[in-house]
Amino acid sequence: LPSSIKAQGIKIKKDGEARIYEGKKLFDYMDGGAELYYEYGFEQACVQRYKAKEGEVTVEIYQMDTSAHAYGVYTFDTQGEHPSIGQDATYARGLLSFWKGRYCVRALSDNEKFKDILLALGQAISKKIPQEGERPAILAFLPPQWVVADSLLYFRGQVALNNGYFLSNQDVLFLSKGAEGITFLYKPEAQPLRVIMVRYAGRPQALEAFKSLRSSGVIKQGALKEGLFLGKSRKGDGGALLSENIVVL
């Protein structure tokens, strides 16, 4: 991490030593919020504070076990403008988020005038990360033109899915058994539709999850019609289908 950064006449300097949180120690930093990171294969985090007379900045660097999981953590902060930092980045209201390789980085300040400071800090950190990483394989099944801008979330468990879109208190899609998924707003001609797509290790696991979903009550008054399970969801019409090792609803 840089010892100091200067932009538009404002200079921030490190305020104390960086704090490192490994494994279950992340609970010491964020308490209940840590469960989300563990679903994405959290390994360790580095937290560094910076200070200037005009305000403070906090930098959080999360190291995950794979680049796909770093991307997943990043997808919780994609609403805003997208500066060219890392592999993808978002800035909005005093928060810069980006991912690169196995790292997801957040730089935040209560002073929105620190935008240029946060961007400069992000660039400096990104340059120190030597390698880029691969995005999740499930994205290859999704034509980008289907997705409403900045609406996509990549998840690996029920905590992440329910944070992005609440489906159920129960693990009806068996996400805890190694599945990966995405949820997004699909943009047809009419009103955007919420889509959840989950990919399993094989068809038997996908079939088991599809049966669980049908019996869960998430889709009420459901009936199978030509391979589609159609009924009512809590927000209107709902449906689900099974295709090879993928469940879509």
Side-chain angles (χ1 to χ4, degrees):
L1 286 166
S3 58
S4 64
I5 286 288
K6 186 176 182 180
Q8 288 196 325
I10 300 175
K11 184 176 183 179
I12 60 171
K13 296 181 179 181
K14 281 184 176 179
D15 181 26
E17 297 295 320
R19 288 175 290 164
I20 305 298
Y21 301 90
E22 297 179 327
K24 296 301 181 182
K25 291 293 185 181
L26 187 61
F27 282 110
D28 295 341
Y29 179 57
M30 61 175 58
D31 197 15
E35 289 291 353
L36 176 69
Y37 289 83
Y38 292 126
E39 283 190 345
Y40 288 105
F42 170 83
E43 292 185 343
Q44 63 177 337
C46 172
V47 179
Q48 176 68 63
R49 302 194 188 281
Y50 290 82
K51 184 178 287 187
K53 62 181 180 181
E54 296 87 354
E56 299 181 356
V57 170
T58 299
V59 175
E60 303 170 345
I61 302 176
Y62 298 93
Q63 178 182 308
M64 317 309 288
D65 60 349
T66 68
S67 60
H69 289 162
Y71 169 83
V73 174
Y74 163 75
T75 58
F76 278 91
D77 293 308
T78 59
Q79 299 283 331
E81 56 186 278
H82 302 291
S84 182
I85 299 174
Q87 291 183 247
D88 294 295
T90 302
Y91 174 82
R93 300 179 298 280
L95 171 63
L96 170 69
S97 300
F98 73 89
W99 77 284
K100 183 179 180 182
R102 292 195 295 139
Y103 300 91
C104 181
V105 180
R106 302 171 84 242
L108 55 152
S109 175
D110 290 336
N111 189 342
E112 293 192 22
K113 293 181 180 179
F114 273 27
K115 175 182 176 180
D116 290 331
I117 285 284
L118 296 177
L119 296 182
L121 191 54
Q123 288 284 15
I125 295 170
S126 178
K127 289 178 181 178
K128 294 288 187 179
I129 302 173
Q131 293 182 330
E132 294 191 345
E134 294 184 358
R135 288 172 168 78
I138 194 173
L139 298 182
F141 296 91
L142 182 66
Q145 64 269 23
W146 286 9
V147 183
V148 173
D150 302 338
S151 72
L152 187 142
L153 172 71
Y154 173 75
F155 58 88
R156 289 304 306 265
Q158 185 181 352
V159 174
L161 173 58
N162 282 345
N163 268 270
Y165 177 81
F166 182 80
L167 184 70
S168 172
N169 286 317
Q170 306 300 317
D171 186 15
V172 298
L173 291 172
F174 296 161
L175 301 177
S176 60
K177 297 185 177 181
E180 65 169 352
I182 51 177
T183 180
F184 59 92
L185 291 176
Y186 167 66
K187 50 180 180 183
E189 293 292 329
Q191 183 177 353
L193 303 174
R194 171 62 58 180
V195 176
I196 299 172
M197 179 186 298
V198 184
R199 180 172 177 249
Y200 298 87
R203 183 172 175 82
Q205 295 91 332
L207 180 59
E208 184 182 12
F210 188 61
K211 291 179 179 177
S212 170
L213 174 66
R214 287 168 51 191
S215 63
S216 68
V218 168
I219 299 176
K220 301 181 185 301
Q221 304 170 21
L224 273 174
K225 298 179 180 179
E226 299 180 356
L228 295 175
F229 184 64
L230 302 175
K232 296 291 183 180
S233 72
R234 60 188 173 87
K235 292 190 175 182
D237 294 330
L241 63 89
L242 171 66
S243 177
E244 297 301 327
N245 64 332
I246 292 176
V247 172
V248 181
L249 63 152

